[in-house]
Amino acid sequence: MTDTPRPTPTVLFVCVHNAGRSQMAAGWLRHLAGDRVEVLSAGSAPAGTINPVAVEAMAEVGIDIASQQPKLLSDTAVQASDVVITMGCGDACPFYPGKRYEDWKLDDPAGQGIESVRPIRDEIKRRVEELIESLA
């Protein structure tokens, strides 16, 4: 009897601007899960650039998200995902039956200094680790 490989789950992180929380979460998931999970992120009203303080906070732990660009949330991305993690995007997040949804209540790093962003980064890491366990 041979084991059939399990399909790679796809996780979509969504916040309003796709510049801070969702980008940090995507960075953590790529770093911790590698190619075991496909990672997407998007925003309901994406910013022009990623939050430089989020980039700095992630660089402190050896994760480079500087090359990421905020992306507009699409129905296609939601439909392609097994798990959709929302972070304060409210009613702007489309809902499709059969998807696993989680809403992570996290402070928004926008306009905050590095001292305030570090605990957000660390809380996101904790939640991403739990997410990886739940996908295994």
Side-chain angles (χ1 to χ4, degrees):
M1 184 170 135
T2 60
D3 287 336
T4 34
R6 292 180 58 184
T8 305
T10 301
V11 176
L12 170 64
F13 294 102
V14 183
C15 66
V16 176
H17 299 297
N18 189 221
R21 294 168 289 191
S22 55
Q23 292 285 0
M24 289 192 290
W28 275 121
L29 186 56
R30 283 187 197 99
H31 179 75
L32 296 170
D35 60 5
R36 294 177 292 156
V37 178
E38 185 176 344
V39 182
L40 305 173
S41 72
S44 53
T49 59
I50 194 164
N51 179 335
V53 182
V55 171
E56 179 185 354
M58 294 301 284
E60 288 180 350
V61 294
I63 300 172
D64 181 7
I65 61 169
S67 64
Q68 298 298 316
Q69 282 297 312
K71 293 173 249 3
L72 181 62
L73 177 63
S74 69
D75 285 351
T76 307
V78 177
Q79 290 169 340
S81 300
D82 300 295
V83 181
V84 179
I85 309 286
T86 58
M87 304 172 182
C89 68
D91 295 337
C93 295
F95 182 85
Y96 289 94
K99 304 290 177 193
R100 172 177 154 195
Y101 286 86
E102 291 183 22
D103 186 43
W104 291 0
K105 304 265 187 262
L106 297 160
D107 289 336
D108 188 346
Q112 307 231 31
I114 190 70
E115 296 297 326
S116 299
V117 174
R118 285 183 186 121
I120 299 168
R121 173 201 65 203
D122 296 344
E123 174 63 13
I124 291 171
K125 178 186 181 191
R126 185 189 69 74
R127 292 180 188 213
V128 166
E129 288 170 338
E130 288 177 359
L131 174 66
I132 292 168
E133 286 295 313
S134 76
L135 294 172

